[in-house]
Amino acid sequence: MKGLKNTIKCNLGASVIATISLAPLFCNSLSAAEKPLRQAQDRPNIIVILADDMGYSDLGCYGGEIQTPNIDALAREGVRFTGLRNTSRCTPSRASLLTGRYSHSVGIGAMSRDENLPGYRGQLSPDAPTLAEILKPHGYATGIVGKWHQTYTGKSSQKQLFPLDRGFDFFYGTWWGAKDYFSPKFMMKNGEHIDDDTNYPDDFYLTHALSDSAIEFVQNQIDQDRPFYLYLAHYAPHAPIQAPADRVQKCFDRYMAGFETLQRERFARQLELGVVPGNAKIAGGIPSWDTLNDSKNREWATIMATYAAMIEIMDDGIGELIATLKQNGQYDNTLILVFSDNGATTERKGKPPVSTLLAALSNTPYRSYKAHTFEGGIASPLIISWPDQFREYAGSLRHGPCHIIDILPTCLDALDVEFPSEFRGKKAVQPDGRSILSAVTGTALPQRPFYWEHLGRRAVYQDGWKLVADGANSPWKLYNLMDDPTEQNDLSKQLPERADALKRDWTNWAKQNHVLPQRGSKGKSRK
């Protein structure tokens, strides 16, 4: 990647020095004398787009029948990764994305409740610099639009920290969960709560509002000739499953074909596209479509059509954002990443087997769903586009393992910015992740271990092998993902020594990263 970096280096500009002098809180070890900065017009912009609860196969460029032409265009002009894994749940994934570290080590082992344990404070640790806090002293405008979900709820001795406390100049969106797309709750603009639902116009829809706000932020920075970092954290397609009626109707007929037909068609496209291993098989263990009567069929089709409409509306807004970049001559100089915080969920409206079939289609061909550490819960699409640097690799696929902890190091690598050695007067803990930017050019992603834990559900991956326990009291199961990528054949009894070695490795990681101890449902610590 040395050659790639060299193409985007330049000298320190006076306007950037002025910006740094206004931000002493965030400078720490990143002084002008230590880190030469680039001229504003030469430095790339970064847009990180995160979907919420979107499954691995939902996007058109990953095999889905959902119409996402704008995201698909980014894939054609950029590179798709097939091996990105997240933490299995929204709040921990966001913590890892923002800091490049495993979520327990920065206080968010579960969700936003403070359990008074180091790994379970429910709020992003103030000792861990976010990407915004790192980039701001380098002259970048920093904005977040959408879902924050890094602030504790309930009782706690902590001061609540919101985006403007964590390096962002601008915030419009939800500090927790929006709850309703037509009259959302918990909304903020910068530091002010704006969640009075009586003020929303009749045609208000949250995804439209987020897209408009993202475009406004980008246009404002372009007008001021400032490089920018935008974190566009869409709420879609998270429940509640809601979309304008005309958009739902547009999608309805395609889902009357039924779950099994659509899943077979998705899987066939995935194999043709190369976004799943050639030896993959669709994960079993789900209800048969034949168990649904006609009324259930229509219920499933309606919910799935609404879900599809939510993603298509999100894609519309991304298209408008890209158009804004192109109209201002900034598209080629903007690094754009698109991915999801976890797999699709059974939390959508509809009781089993409807909800299970919804998640199974979205996560095709993988097993399980959100909040579980099987592949269906942690597999995410990842698209990286940067025409100035990646044009010759356009349309390529990259296989091999990577993790959401790698996003922050990748962004820093693209800017040739080092992670700070100190932060707020203390030695900064370095990221757990690594840059995957070199993989875009064809360098193979190295084999390295990855770890998961969420609500007692655990996993460890190493060298193509994965050990999984689907609950605090569930047994460990061993899978060879090279031969069995959808986790159908447990080999723990045939290979107990390998399983034991992976279990020891996971336990060592858990002790080092504040995964243990954990507080149980009755308030008692458990290990």
Side-chain angles (χ1 to χ4, degrees):
M1 292 306 298
K2 187 175 181 181
L4 177 61
K5 287 182 180 179
N6 287 341
T7 65
I8 52 176
K9 287 184 177 178
C10 65
N11 297 321
L12 176 65
S15 62
V16 176
I17 296 176
T19 303
I20 291 180
S21 69
L22 296 174
L25 177 62
F26 302 101
C27 288
N28 301 294
S29 64
L30 296 175
S31 68
E34 291 175 308
K35 290 294 297 181
L37 307 182
R38 305 188 192 109
Q39 298 289 347
Q41 63 268 28
D42 295 327
R43 285 175 288 156
N45 311 302
I46 295 184
I47 300 177
V48 175
I49 302 174
L50 186 69
D52 196 333
D53 286 5
M54 186 178 73
Y56 181 77
S57 70
D58 280 328
L59 297 175
C61 53
Y62 280 80
E65 72 292 321
I66 299 175
Q67 296 175 12
T68 54
N70 298 296
I71 297 175
D72 295 350
L74 287 174
R76 286 194 304 273
E77 297 171 5
V79 173
R80 282 168 295 164
F81 286 72
T82 65
L84 180 69
R85 298 299 180 260
N86 50 60
T87 72
S88 85
R89 195 78 179 269
C90 50
T91 303
S93 281
R94 284 165 170 73
S96 291
L97 164 63
L98 287 163
T99 64
R101 292 175 60 188
Y102 284 109
S103 63
H104 301 77
S105 70
V106 292
I108 301 187
M111 299 296 283
S112 52
R113 178 181 175 183
D114 187 356
E115 299 285 355
N116 292 307
L117 291 167
Y120 301 89
R121 296 306 308 274
Q123 177 167 257
L124 195 64
S125 169
D127 297 329
T130 67
L131 182 58
E133 287 168 317
I134 298 171
L135 294 183
K136 189 170 182 176
H138 287 264
Y140 273 78
T142 55
I144 171 175
V145 173
K147 184 177 178 179
W148 173 240
H149 219 187
Q150 297 293 290
T151 300
Y152 76 88
T153 56
K155 295 180 179 179
S156 176
S157 61
Q158 304 175 85
K159 175 186 176 182
Q160 286 187 314
L161 299 175
F162 296 99
L164 269 63
D165 301 312
R166 299 312 314 266
F168 288 96
D169 301 315
F170 175 81
F171 172 46
Y172 172 76
T174 62
W175 68 270
W176 189 38
K179 301 299 182 183
D180 191 306
Y181 283 81
F182 300 106
S183 56
K185 306 289 186 181
F186 311 112
M187 293 288 288
M188 294 182 75
K189 185 168 185 178
N190 293 329
E192 301 296 324
H193 292 270
I194 54 170
D195 56 357
D196 183 355
D197 60 0
T198 62
N199 292 329
Y200 292 116
D202 291 341
D203 62 349
F204 181 91
Y205 185 67
L206 179 59
T207 306
H208 289 316
L210 298 182
S211 296
D212 291 345
S213 183
I215 291 168
E216 180 182 7
F217 171 80
V218 165
Q219 186 66 62
N220 285 341
Q221 310 323 311
I222 293 173
D223 290 345
Q224 298 176 58
D225 195 26
R226 293 187 67 190
F228 59 84
Y229 158 48
L230 169 64
Y231 172 29
L232 176 52
H234 269 293
Y235 199 65
H238 190 288
I241 305 302
Q242 297 174 328
D246 61 325
R247 299 299 296 264
V248 177
Q249 187 59 43
K250 177 183 174 183
C251 299
F252 181 80
D253 288 346
R254 80 180 76 145
Y255 291 101
M256 283 303 290
F259 162 77
E260 290 177 346
T261 296
L262 290 167
Q263 188 179 51
R264 285 195 301 268
E265 291 174 351
R266 278 199 187 196
F267 185 55
R269 287 191 294 268
Q270 288 181 307
L271 290 171
E272 182 178 358
L273 290 167
V275 296
V276 296
N279 63 344
K281 298 179 180 178
I282 295 177
I286 56 176
S288 169
W289 176 255
D290 293 338
T291 62
L292 274 65
N293 58 32
D294 288 343
S295 64
K296 286 290 183 182
N297 292 352
R298 294 192 66 83
E299 176 190 352
W300 184 88
T302 299
I303 298 171
M304 195 66 214
T306 309
Y307 175 83
M310 295 169 78
I311 294 177
E312 292 181 3
I313 293 170
M314 178 178 68
D315 182 78
D316 290 346
I318 291 171
E320 293 168 3
L321 178 60
I322 292 169
T324 300
L325 294 172
K326 289 181 175 179
Q327 289 162 8
N328 289 275
Q330 288 296 314
Y331 175 66
D332 288 352
N333 192 40
T334 301
L335 173 68
I336 303 176
L337 301 92
V338 182
F339 50 105
S340 181
D341 63 348
N342 46 250
T345 178
T346 59
E347 295 168 2
R348 304 180 207 170
K349 189 194 315 180
K351 297 179 180 180
V354 169
S355 58
T356 305
L357 294 175
L358 290 165
L361 178 62
S362 291
N363 296 331
T364 302
Y366 295 116
R367 173 180 180 178
S368 197
Y369 37 83
K370 173 184 175 180
H372 296 260
T373 53
F374 288 108
E375 294 293 278
I378 62 175
S380 172
L382 171 62
I383 298 163
I384 300 182
S385 171
W386 188 9
D388 266 356
Q389 301 297 333
F390 301 156
R391 187 168 280 108
E392 64 182 289
Y393 311 106
S396 298
L397 286 172
R398 297 291 181 253
H399 308 293
C402 53
H403 195 282
I404 199 168
I405 57 176
D406 297 331
I407 299 298
L408 179 143
T410 300
C411 293
L412 294 182
D413 190 15
L415 274 60
D416 199 24
V417 170
E418 293 182 4
F419 191 86
S421 59
E422 293 184 358
F423 182 66
R424 295 184 178 173
K426 298 179 181 179
K427 182 178 180 179
V429 177
Q430 298 297 298
D432 297 304
R434 303 177 187 175
S435 173
I436 61 172
L437 203 63
S438 63
V440 172
T441 67
T443 302
L445 286 163
Q447 288 289 337
R448 52 192 166 115
F450 294 116
Y451 307 90
W452 294 266
E453 191 282 331
H454 185 65
L455 303 180
R457 297 158 183 152
R458 298 150 285 159
V460 52
Y461 168 90
Q462 190 168 36
D463 298 328
W465 293 86
K466 186 178 173 190
L467 192 70
V468 185
D470 197 35
N473 299 313
S474 298
W476 289 96
K477 296 183 178 182
L478 178 67
Y479 300 97
N480 180 351
L481 297 187
M482 296 172 287
D483 297 335
D484 178 23
T486 58
E487 299 166 302
Q488 301 297 291
N489 303 307
D490 174 20
L491 302 175
S492 58
K493 290 183 172 57
Q494 292 95 312
L495 300 169
E497 292 183 358
R498 185 180 290 275
D500 287 344
L502 287 171
K503 180 180 177 181
R504 287 193 299 271
D505 190 29
W506 182 90
T507 302
N508 289 335
W509 167 80
K511 291 177 179 177
Q512 295 168 5
N513 286 271
H514 305 306
V515 178
L516 302 174
Q518 299 168 312
R519 193 172 293 277
S521 59
K522 295 183 179 180
K524 297 180 180 179
S525 294
R526 56 180 171 83
K527 293 185 178 180

